[in-house]
Amino acid sequence: MEEQRERGPAHWWPQGPPWWNRSADPEPRLDRLPWRSTVLLTVFVLGGSNFAAHAQPHREQLDGYARVLLLVASVLLLWRHRHPVAVAFGTAAATLVYLSAGYPYGPVFLAVAVGCLGAVVTGHRRAAWSALGLLWAGHALVALWLYRWLPPRGDRAATVGQEIVVATWMLVIVALCEVVRVRREQWARERADRAQAARRRADEERLRIARELHDVLAHSISVINVQAGMGLALLDSDPEQARAALTTIKAASKEALGEVRQVLDTLRAPGAAPRAPAPGLDRLPELVEQAAAAGLTVDVQGEPPQLPPGADLAAFRIVQEALTNVVRHSGSRHARVRFDHDGTALRLWIDDDGPATGADAGGSGNGLAGMRERAAALGGTIEAGPRPGGGFRVLAVLPAHTREVQ
């Protein structure tokens, strides 16, 4: 498991600012309305409009009616997350009435921009474009024709160039809204990808732990079961042999407890170094002895090669599980393990002569599934099935240069 990343401002922006999550809420609660940003924007619009009025003496001076229109356009933004379409058209309408009354140009367009931004980022792009288009069309109609009957008195018609400038500013607002929308969707996809990757890593870790526990417990309990049956059968007739069986049971249970504890320590302290090295093919003689204690003779052919830690563990667990299946499901008391390493791949055979003693001897349970998962994680394969001459065979092919799973 990988270590948790440190939290800090440097990690906020790749995921998107936290307040975008609130912006995406289609039905925010009353206490989640954007009060602070709306109040700041309202103050800016009112103050900026007063400043703009002094620089435009030919326009109508701000009066109570003008301030009401500015306040309406700004206060509507409180509901830009809950009713984005209505707010986009409402701010555009309030702004159009304000400009048609001859009041000075100024930051009132900011309210329209924020309202349309709220519509765009919540998926109502056409509504935002329509609101801006209606605002521009209404402004062009007033500036080119209706100005004769509307204040201020003596106003002259706007030129086509001036209307093109206004249209350009409208397009800039649309472009900025689209940039914010695209970036916001990108943040959402990145968050979803990270969540999916985290779930995938958690699933892989659970599968790894399940395989480890299955392989450890299945092998050790099989040995303990055989030795316990032998000890009970010989308890009266051969106490010394029964004592040897109990000694084997003690050793097998101790080893199983140690390996289970190592797996559980990984769960309790993610990222911590294991207390003991993972088992590998260097423990093959120990595995052969345990199989012999369970009444199974194992012949090893070939020399186990040196493998990377992950492949070494996988090869050991495959041999362990295959021998466990022979003990549990085969009537044969003899098995063969053969290694063939040509420098590019390791081929590992585990054969027994049969016959099968259980209905599930063909191998469709968790043991064979775990072996296949181990091999696939390293880029290898597992073939398991009956042998032509009788018995059962497991053939594992593992690449010599494996890709270790993090």
Side-chain angles (χ1 to χ4, degrees):
M1 294 183 180
E2 49 181 40
E3 299 179 357
Q4 297 180 346
R5 296 181 177 179
E6 296 180 359
R7 295 182 178 179
H11 298 292
W12 289 3
W13 292 104
Q15 304 176 16
W19 40 271
W20 279 117
N21 295 333
R22 295 193 292 273
S23 300
D25 192 350
E27 294 184 0
R29 301 188 307 271
L30 289 178
D31 59 348
R32 293 181 63 181
L33 292 177
W35 289 99
R36 294 181 180 177
S37 60
T38 303
V39 169
L40 290 175
L41 188 141
T42 301
V43 171
F44 179 78
V45 169
L46 292 174
S49 297
N50 284 326
F51 180 80
H54 294 292
Q56 303 175 51
H58 59 283
R59 303 288 292 181
E60 292 291 319
Q61 294 301 309
L62 294 181
D63 53 16
Y65 182 58
R67 290 184 172 85
V68 168
L69 289 174
L70 293 173
L71 193 62
V72 168
S74 301
V75 172
L76 280 175
L77 298 176
L78 277 174
W79 293 274
R80 64 183 183 269
H81 301 155
R82 182 177 297 179
H83 306 292
V85 175
V87 170
F89 282 100
T91 54
T95 302
L96 181 58
V97 173
Y98 172 87
L99 296 176
S100 300
Y103 295 117
Y105 296 94
V108 65
F109 287 104
L110 181 60
V112 181
V114 175
C116 291
L117 174 63
V120 168
V121 299
T122 52
H124 303 283
R125 301 167 63 194
R126 292 184 179 179
W129 299 345
S130 299
L132 286 173
L134 290 175
L135 175 59
W136 177 82
H139 179 269
L141 184 63
V142 170
L144 297 176
W145 182 46
L146 297 179
Y147 69 93
R148 299 182 181 91
W149 301 280
L150 295 174
R153 292 182 179 181
D155 195 12
R156 292 179 298 178
T159 64
V160 176
Q162 289 174 330
E163 288 306 308
I164 292 177
V165 171
V166 174
T168 302
W169 277 108
M170 296 292 181
L171 292 176
V172 168
I173 294 175
V174 170
L176 289 176
C177 291
E178 288 297 318
V179 168
V180 172
R181 178 188 63 82
V182 171
R183 183 55 178 158
R184 188 171 181 269
E185 291 177 353
Q186 181 180 354
W187 285 331
R189 286 194 299 270
E190 290 173 356
R191 286 195 298 269
D193 291 344
R194 279 189 292 272
Q196 183 178 3
R199 288 193 297 268
R200 184 170 59 251
R201 287 193 297 271
D203 291 341
E204 292 173 353
E205 186 68 8
R206 283 194 293 270
L207 286 174
R208 184 188 69 80
I209 293 169
R211 287 195 300 265
E212 288 293 316
L213 290 176
H214 175 273
D215 293 345
V216 170
L217 295 179
H219 175 75
S220 300
I221 291 176
S222 296
V223 173
I224 290 172
N225 180 62
V226 171
Q227 292 298 320
M230 183 184 302
L232 288 174
L234 300 175
L235 184 62
D236 296 327
S237 60
D238 193 346
E240 289 301 322
Q241 190 68 22
R243 183 188 300 276
L246 291 175
T247 302
T248 302
I249 290 173
K250 180 180 180 181
S253 60
K254 181 179 180 180
E255 179 184 0
L257 287 174
E259 294 199 29
V260 169
R261 187 179 295 112
Q262 182 177 348
V263 174
L264 295 180
D265 285 344
T266 304
L267 288 177
R268 295 191 184 99
R275 298 182 179 179
L281 291 177
D282 57 335
R283 290 181 53 182
L284 185 60
E286 180 181 340
L287 196 60
V288 171
E289 291 180 5
Q290 292 175 354
L296 179 67
T297 302
V298 180
D299 291 337
V300 179
Q301 302 174 4
E303 190 69 22
Q306 294 291 330
L307 296 173
D312 201 27
L313 172 62
F316 176 82
R317 292 301 189 198
I318 289 170
V319 175
Q320 185 182 52
E321 177 61 27
L323 294 180
T324 300
N325 287 339
V326 174
V327 172
R328 297 172 62 186
H329 305 305
S330 175
S332 174
R333 296 297 88 190
H334 183 265
R336 292 174 297 280
V337 177
R338 181 159 65 94
F339 295 95
D340 183 7
H341 187 240
D342 59 5
T344 60
L346 167 67
R347 288 173 173 80
L348 177 60
W349 288 268
I350 303 96
D351 296 336
D352 71 88
D353 298 327
T357 59
D360 59 343
S364 60
N366 292 330
L368 283 177
M371 285 193 286
R372 291 190 177 98
E373 290 169 359
R374 288 184 184 278
L378 298 169
T381 60
I382 288 285
E383 297 179 10
R387 297 171 59 217
F392 197 81
R393 165 172 289 175
V394 174
L395 169 60
V397 180
L398 301 178
H401 303 287
T402 57
R403 56 176 192 268
E404 299 294 335
V405 179
Q406 299 298 326

